[in-house]
Amino acid sequence: MYGRRMRTRLAVFLAGVLPLTVVAAPAQAAPPTVALGSVIPAPVDVRPSGGGFRITARTVIEAPAAARGVAEQLGEALRLRVVGHAPPRTGKIALELGKVNGKPESYRLTVDKRGVTLRSATTAGLFNGVQTLQQLVPVSGPRTIAGGEIIDYPRFGYRGTMLDIARHFHTPGEIKRHIDEISKFKVNYLHLHLSDDQGWRIQIDSRPRLTTVGGAAGTGVDGVGGGFLTKADYRDLVRYAASRHVTIVPEIDMPGHVNAAQVAYPELTCDGVAPPPRTDTAVGYSSLCIGSETTYRFVEDVVRELAEMTPGPFIHIGGDEAHATTQADYLTFQKRVLPLVTKYGKTAYGWNEIAAAPEANVAVAQFWSSATQNPAVAAAVANGTKVIMSPANLAYIDQKYDPTTRLGLSWAGYIEVRKAYDWDPGTHVTGVPESAVLGVEAPLWSETLRSLDDIEYMAWPRLAGIAELGWSPARDWESFRTRLGAYGPRWAARGVDFYRSPQIDWAS
Ligand code: IFG
């Protein structure tokens, strides 16, 4: 618009009237090093825009009192102050409670050079948005977040993993560290496998020998898995999990997998003789005494006490590998026990064998078969049963990655990262439409796992992939493997001993 001469005259004029102070340009945010969509699970709708927001020491987190818990967690993670109201023109990350799109757990994240706004109708949605936001902050270097908008919400409401603390007990501290990690990928259910042939891991007041005997030192696989959760431990875990928007699902496996209970209470056998304690890994040899009323008084005591310390909706009653129980007795057992769970206000949840029982139409079946057809499950689904997908050949993260994996089992086949990722829970089983699928769960059995390090090595990165199957609308292996490779340094920074799969190009 101005010719060069004019510009010169203008510059001379301005120089004469304006003090020659150099107006400091706004701190140019260093370019963002994490793309707005580089998040696991992949968000639904990502709209990058220019610019970005640079977090500095002066940045604050602004949140209403109702969102203080989530805000404090973010503040701790980013080492930023949390305030109720930030002064105007302060660079801030504002958490807001308000409508986004009416979908459960949804949130909207907006980033521009002035700051970040995270909005959701619920604290669960804010928690989800905070997990996403933390992945957008570079793990090192200038903390510039890419500009743009993300609108996000889950495909399935149930995104779970199971930790077997029966074969080898894991301490509350280890379980809390695992909760910290699973919640970063928006996993929102933790199924605890609390009893099995080798051990009983939850205190039941009316049956103290379950833990004084079944949870004693020397129980567990190879006799090195002893220990148990007191009720106080369990209640503290429930509270801790809830603060990370994870719901605990307790499992008492019945009528099979009961040797530890029968060692503690021989009256739970039909001949009243206590079986020898077992520290091997065989399955399918034990059964409660189906025709005895003593059995149902026991089951009711356990279900009642579990229900009163479990705020979550589910009580898992196992039901798998009841090879020492006749099918007729199995159905008799389910007919008596499934209503007991309902009586104490909970939804029954069991391995998919329970689907054979007509009473299972009010229960949730956990599909663990490696097949993609199961007439009993399809029939139960037609009758109202809902399903959680945990196909052993794809989602059992206790299986070895490949023949060289030191830990884990291999009866369901080797499961590398891509195999655990490249399947669709909504269409996996014939006769189980997406409308009957509550979600996914990745079981981690502990026959060969003794430490948190072992848990981490088998869980990560496969559980991150299964978390994406539970959350994101569609899967894309190339996109996932790229985002996963970029995520590696975050696990490394937290000391998580993840498996560096050769299928992934791991960033350093
Ligand atoms: N199957 C058994 C588990 C455990 C597992 C190890 C189920 C439902 C093999 N039952 O999986 O107790 O031993 O991979």
Side-chain angles (χ1 to χ4, degrees):
M1 186 167 71
Y2 291 116
R4 202 157 66 81
R5 180 197 301 273
M6 183 57 183
R7 281 202 308 269
T8 308
R9 281 217 298 268
L10 181 62
V12 168
F13 167 73
L14 286 176
V17 298
L18 290 178
L20 272 182
T21 53
V22 176
V23 177
Q28 284 306 321
T33 58
V34 179
L36 194 63
S38 185
V39 176
I40 301 174
V44 174
D45 183 5
V46 177
R47 299 160 189 256
S49 68
F53 175 67
R54 177 162 187 177
I55 293 174
T56 70
R58 288 190 309 282
T59 304
V60 295
I61 296 168
E62 181 184 74
R68 193 83 191 188
V70 182
E72 296 287 0
Q73 288 177 25
L74 180 62
E76 192 181 327
L78 299 183
R79 300 179 308 284
L80 297 175
R81 230 160 22 94
V82 177
V83 297
H85 289 285
R89 286 187 306 286
T90 313
K92 66 184 178 184
I93 298 172
L95 272 57
E96 297 175 347
L97 279 167
K99 185 170 169 23
V100 171
N101 59 14
K103 292 177 183 295
E105 298 188 68
S106 64
Y107 66 88
R108 181 176 65 225
L109 181 67
T110 312
V111 181
D112 61 29
K113 63 179 182 302
R114 290 189 313 280
V116 177
T117 303
L118 172 57
R119 183 180 176 87
S120 175
T122 63
T123 50
L126 289 179
F127 181 84
N128 292 328
V130 158
Q131 305 321 305
T132 294
L133 177 57
Q134 289 184 66
Q135 292 188 33
L136 296 176
V137 177
V139 72
S140 59
R143 302 201 292 175
T144 301
I145 304 170
E149 181 179 82
I150 290 177
I151 293 183
D152 201 7
Y153 49 88
R155 177 183 178 191
F156 295 109
Y158 189 111
R159 306 173 304 275
T161 188
M162 183 205 85
L163 190 56
D164 170 10
I165 65 170
R167 273 54 179 268
H168 281 99
F169 181 65
H170 293 285
T171 65
E174 290 177 320
I175 299 169
K176 286 179 180 177
R177 291 299 70 71
H178 196 44
I179 290 169
D180 289 343
E181 290 301 320
I182 66 175
S183 59
K184 290 180 185 299
F185 295 96
K186 306 184 178 79
V187 170
N188 62 349
Y189 281 91
L190 175 60
H191 167 181
L192 292 176
H193 188 73
L194 296 168
S195 70
D196 214 300
D197 291 314
Q198 299 86 348
W200 185 286
R201 309 296 180 204
I202 179 65
Q203 179 185 10
I204 299 292
D205 295 334
S206 55
R207 308 283 173 155
R209 291 170 55 81
L210 289 173
T211 43
T212 57
V213 174
T219 58
V221 170
D222 303 329
V224 295
F228 64 91
L229 298 175
T230 65
K231 284 196 166 183
D233 290 332
Y234 182 84
R235 288 196 173 98
D236 180 50
L237 276 177
V238 164
R239 183 199 53 73
Y240 188 87
S243 72
R244 275 121 180 105
H245 292 272
V246 173
T247 298
I248 297 290
V249 178
E251 178 191 353
I252 298 299
D253 204 344
M254 305 175 281
H257 289 272
V258 292
N259 195 71
Q262 294 177 318
V263 170
Y265 290 99
E267 62 267 34
L268 294 175
T269 66
C270 284
D271 61 10
V273 176
R278 295 287 290 261
T279 58
D280 60 305
T281 59
V283 297
Y285 56 82
S286 60
S287 173
L288 290 172
C289 187
I290 304 303
S292 160
E293 283 310 308
T294 302
T295 296
Y296 303 103
R297 282 195 294 275
F298 167 78
V299 172
E300 179 151 9
D301 281 349
V302 171
V303 168
R304 181 186 67 253
E305 291 195 37
L306 263 188
E308 72 190 13
M309 59 178 146
T310 300
F314 300 114
I315 299 270
H316 198 302
I317 56 168
D320 64 308
E321 298 177 322
H323 305 323
T325 313
T326 66
Q327 186 59 10
D329 279 355
Y330 184 86
L331 295 178
T332 299
F333 180 79
Q334 295 303 342
K335 193 181 180 71
R336 291 290 301 271
V337 167
L338 284 163
L340 281 181
V341 179
T342 312
K343 173 179 178 183
Y344 290 98
K346 301 299 177 184
T347 298
Y349 181 10
W351 300 103
N352 62 253
E353 289 91 327
I354 68 165
E359 293 74 13
N361 66 338
V362 293
V364 173
Q366 182 164 10
F367 188 84
W368 67 286
S369 165
S370 294
T372 55
Q373 316 247 349
N374 186 304
V377 170
V381 161
N383 211 10
T385 296
K386 299 300 181 194
V387 179
I388 301 278
M389 286 295 171
S390 299
N393 59 321
L394 301 170
Y396 266 36
I397 51 179
D398 70 318
Q399 301 300 297
K400 293 174 181 291
Y401 290 97
D402 66 32
T404 68
T405 309
R406 178 175 59 84
L407 298 165
L409 304 174
S410 58
W411 66 272
Y414 299 117
I415 304 178
E416 250 289 359
V417 177
R418 178 163 193 170
K419 189 173 181 189
Y421 179 79
D422 231 347
W423 60 284
D424 183 348
T427 60
H428 185 67
V429 179
T430 309
V432 182
E434 177 152 352
S435 58
V437 177
L438 294 184
V440 294
E441 182 179 294
L444 186 54
W445 299 100
S446 63
E447 279 92 341
T448 66
L449 312 182
R450 296 185 182 177
S451 65
L452 179 61
D453 199 62
D454 292 351
I455 290 170
E456 290 172 347
Y457 189 77
M458 298 304 275
W460 310 114
R462 289 177 293 189
L463 180 50
I466 291 171
E468 178 147 317
L469 295 182
W471 179 279
S472 305
R475 68 185 188 283
D476 175 338
W477 167 250
E478 284 309 317
S479 163
F480 176 69
R481 68 179 296 277
T482 303
R483 285 176 283 122
L484 189 58
Y487 193 91
R490 294 174 189 274
W491 277 321
R494 294 197 296 269
V496 172
D497 178 29
F498 67 103
Y499 165 66
R500 286 160 176 77
S501 167
Q503 295 180 338
I504 308 297
D505 300 326
W506 294 105
S508 54

